C-alpha cells in the first residue's frame, strides 16, 4: 500500500485498534476518531514503538458533524467502525442504537461526500442475516435481521449502496462473523464467548454453556478481520460491494471450551444454563467471494489464535 492517510472511526476499539496497528505497520498515516465510549486509549498504546506509520488520535463523536468535518478532509479513505456493537444493548436501547449506527453512519457517509472522499469501507455484521439456516451463508442469502443492531447494519449497507449510485463513491461493507482475539473486553455484559471463556480459563473458574453447548459459530481472528478491511481499501474497488468475513469453519461452543482446555491446562466440565432467548443454533460463513475478489485467506491455526487471546487475557488479569 502506498503511504497514505486514512481515517478510522472507532479506531480505539477492539477491531479498530488491530486495523490501526496493521496500517501503521505499512507506514500509513492514521487518524483515529473515537469517543472512547467502548474504546480504550490503552489499545493504541500496545503497539511496538518501531512501527513506521504516524498516528493521530482525535477524541470526538461520529454524530458530531463538526468533529467529522475537522478530521475527514485530506484522507485517502475512511474505515467506518464506530458503532454501538452489542445486539442485546440495541434491543434494550433502540433509540441510542439507531442514533449511533443509523444516523451516525449516514453522517460519516455524507461528510465523506461533502469532502470529496471517494472510498469508504464499513463494518457490517452477520447479524443482518438473522436466523437464516441456509448454511454456509453466502452474501446473496436473504437478510432478515432480528435486532435493531442487525437492521441498522443492513441500513448502513443500503445507504452505502445508494451513495455509490448517487454520488459516484466507492463503498465496501464487510459482514463480520464472530470476531475474537486480544483486546476484546471480557467483562461487559455483552462480551463474546471467546473472551469470556479465556477469562474463565485464566481465573480457573468453570464457565456456563447456554443450552447444550452444541450451537455452532464461525469464529474469525481479529487480525484476519483487520486484514480484510485493509484488502478492501487496497483493492481499488469501484462501486458497491458486500463481503462476508469469517473463517469459513464452524465449531460448537463445547468444542471451543475443550480447545481452551488444551491451551490453558484447565479442563473442567462446563455447567449448563438455559439457552439464551433468540440464540441462533448455527452460524457459518461462505467466504468464497472475498477469497476470489480480494485474496483474503483467514488463519488456519485456530489453536495458535486462541493461545494469543488467552495470553493477552492473562497479562491483563495480572496488570
Ligand atoms: C454474535 C455477535 C453479535 C452479532 C451476532 C449475529 C459477538 C460477541 N457477538 O453474537 O454482535 O453479530 O453474532 O448473529 O461476536 N455462550 C455460552 N456461554 C457464555 C457466553 C456465550 O454458551 O458464557 C454462547 C451463546 O449462547 C451463543 C454463543 O456462545 O450461542 C456465542 O455467543 P456470543 O455472545 O459470543 O455471540 P453471538 O453469536 O450471540
Amino acid at each position: 500500500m502506498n503511504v497514505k492517510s486514512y481515517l478510522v472511526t472507532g479506531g480505539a476499539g477492539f477491531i479498530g485498534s488491530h486495523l490501526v496497528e496493521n496500517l501503521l505497520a505499512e507506514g500509513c498515516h492514521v487518524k483515529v476518531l473515537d469517543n472512547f465510549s467502548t474504546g480504550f486509549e490503552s489499545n493504541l498504546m500496545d503497539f511496538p514503538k518501531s512501527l513506521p506509520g504516524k498516528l493521530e488520535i482525535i477524541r470526538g463523536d461520529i454524530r458530531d458533524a463538526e468533529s467529522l468535518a475537522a478530521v475527514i478532509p485530506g484522507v485517502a479513505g475512511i474505515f467506518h467502525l464506530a458503532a454501538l456493537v452489542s445486539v442485546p444493548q440495541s434491543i434494550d436501547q433502540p433509540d441510542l442504537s439507531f442514533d449511533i449506527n443509523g444516523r451516525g453512519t449516514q453522517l460519516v457517509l455524507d461528510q465523506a461526500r461533502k469532502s470529496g472522499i471517494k472510498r469508504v469501507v464499513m463494518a457490517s455484521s452477520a447479524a443482518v442475516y438473522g436466523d437464516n439456516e441456509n448454511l454456509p451463508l453466502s452474501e446473496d442469502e436473504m437478510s432478515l435481521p432480528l435486532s435493531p443492531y442487525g437492521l441498522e447494519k443492513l441500513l448502513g449497507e443500503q445507504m452505502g449502496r445508494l451513495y455509490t449510485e448517487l454520488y459516484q463513491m466507492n463503498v465496501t461493507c464487510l459482514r463480520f462473523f464472530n470476531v475474537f482475539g486480544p483486546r476484546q473486553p471480557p467483562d461487559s455484559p455483552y462480551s463474546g464467548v471467546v473472551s469470556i471463556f479465556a477469562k474463565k480459563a485464566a481465573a480457573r473458574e468453570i464457565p456456563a454453556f447456554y443450552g447444550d453447548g452444541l450451537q455452532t459459530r464461525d469464529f474469525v481472528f481479529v487480525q484476519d478481520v483487520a486484514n480484510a478491511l485493509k484488502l478492501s481499501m487496497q483493492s481499488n474497488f469501484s462501486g458497491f460491494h458486500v463481503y462476508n468475513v469469517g473463517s469459513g469453519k464452524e465449531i460448537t461452543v463445547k468444542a471451543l471450551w475443550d480447545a481452551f482446555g488444551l491451551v490453558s491446562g484447565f479442563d473442567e466440565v462446563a455447567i449448563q444454563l438455559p439457552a439464551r432467548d433468540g440464540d441462533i443454533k448455527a452460524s457459518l460463513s461462505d467466504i468464497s467471494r472475498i477469497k476470489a475478489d480480494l485474496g483474503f485467506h483467514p488463519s488456519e491455526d485456530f489453536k495458535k489464535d486462541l493461545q494469543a487471546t488467552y495470553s493477552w487475557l492473562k497479562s491483563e488479569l495480572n496488570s
Side-chain angles (χ1 to χ4, degrees):
M1 189 183 271
N2 295 332
V3 177
K4 282 183 172 165
S5 176
Y6 294 103
L7 172 65
V8 182
T9 73
F14 161 50
I15 298 175
S17 65
H18 284 273
L19 171 65
V20 172
E21 186 171 4
N22 189 319
L23 294 171
L24 291 176
E26 297 255 352
C28 298
H29 177 176
V30 184
K31 293 184 186 181
V32 164
L33 178 69
D34 204 300
N35 68 1
F36 295 94
S37 58
T38 52
F40 298 97
E41 205 141 2
S42 57
N43 284 343
L44 299 169
M45 302 299 146
D46 239 9
F47 311 150
K49 298 280 171 286
S50 55
L51 293 181
K54 187 163 164 269
L55 174 62
E56 226 181 300
I57 302 170
I58 302 108
R59 184 178 288 267
D61 198 296
I62 54 164
R63 293 166 292 170
D64 171 19
E66 275 181 26
S67 290
L68 283 175
V71 294
I72 286 184
V75 299
I78 299 173
F79 293 95
H80 176 42
L81 304 183
L84 181 143
V85 294
S86 161
V87 169
Q89 192 183 357
S90 80
I91 294 169
D92 292 345
Q93 295 173 283
D95 265 7
L96 178 67
S97 185
F98 186 81
D99 200 42
I100 298 172
N101 298 341
R103 192 172 73 87
T105 296
Q106 200 275 334
L107 284 170
V108 170
L109 281 169
D110 207 55
Q111 200 60 53
R113 173 183 73 82
K114 287 178 185 153
S115 305
I117 308 301
K118 292 294 181 195
R119 298 196 158 322
V120 182
V121 176
M122 310 204 298
S124 184
S125 168
V128 301
Y129 294 113
D131 194 5
N132 185 322
E133 290 176 1
N134 294 331
L135 305 188
L137 290 166
S138 87
E139 292 85 350
D140 298 328
E141 275 299 332
M142 178 132 90
S143 301
L144 211 56
L146 301 174
S147 62
Y149 174 81
L151 181 65
E152 291 146 12
K153 287 292 174 185
L154 189 59
L155 175 65
E157 293 183 1
Q158 288 298 313
M159 289 193 287
R161 181 193 56 75
L162 194 62
Y163 270 63
T164 63
E165 284 175 16
L166 295 178
Y167 310 117
Q168 294 73 50
M169 288 170 58
N170 306 300
V171 178
T172 290
C173 298
L174 299 183
R175 293 177 175 170
F176 303 152
F177 280 66
N178 287 64
V179 187
F180 74 98
R183 303 187 202 128
Q184 186 170 36
D187 290 321
S188 116
Y190 314 118
S191 291
V193 66
V194 176
S195 59
I196 293 172
F197 282 7
K199 186 166 179 202
K200 292 284 184 191
R204 292 341 204 196
E205 287 170 8
I206 293 176
F209 298 152
Y210 298 130
D212 56 13
L214 298 180
Q215 64 269 48
T216 66
R217 291 295 184 271
D218 178 329
F219 295 105
V220 59
F221 193 47
V222 67
Q223 288 175 3
D224 292 330
V225 173
N227 224 18
L229 287 157
K230 189 181 71 179
L231 287 170
S232 301
M233 187 63 84
Q234 264 178 340
S235 73
N236 285 332
F237 62 91
S238 59
F240 176 68
H241 298 270
V242 172
Y243 295 109
N244 287 334
V245 181
S247 67
K249 295 178 182 149
E250 66 183 321
I251 77 162
T252 64
V253 166
K254 183 177 177 313
L256 174 69
W257 177 243
D258 290 344
F260 267 117
L262 295 176
V263 162
S264 68
F266 180 68
D267 56 5
E268 296 290 325
V269 176
I271 60 162
Q272 275 194 24
L273 293 176
R276 271 186 192 165
D277 279 348
D279 218 15
I280 58 174
K281 186 70 193 154
S283 175
L284 173 63
S285 65
D286 175 345
I287 51 172
S288 43
R289 187 186 287 180
I290 191 168
K291 279 182 163 174
D293 285 8
L294 303 183
F296 172 71
H297 290 291
S299 159
E300 295 284 328
D301 199 340
F302 186 57
K303 195 173 162 210
K304 180 164 154 266
D305 300 336
L306 279 190
Q307 178 73 61
T309 309
Y310 179 68
S311 300
W312 177 82
L313 219 287
K314 263 181 87 174
S315 68
E316 282 295 290
L317 288 183
N318 293 332
S319 65

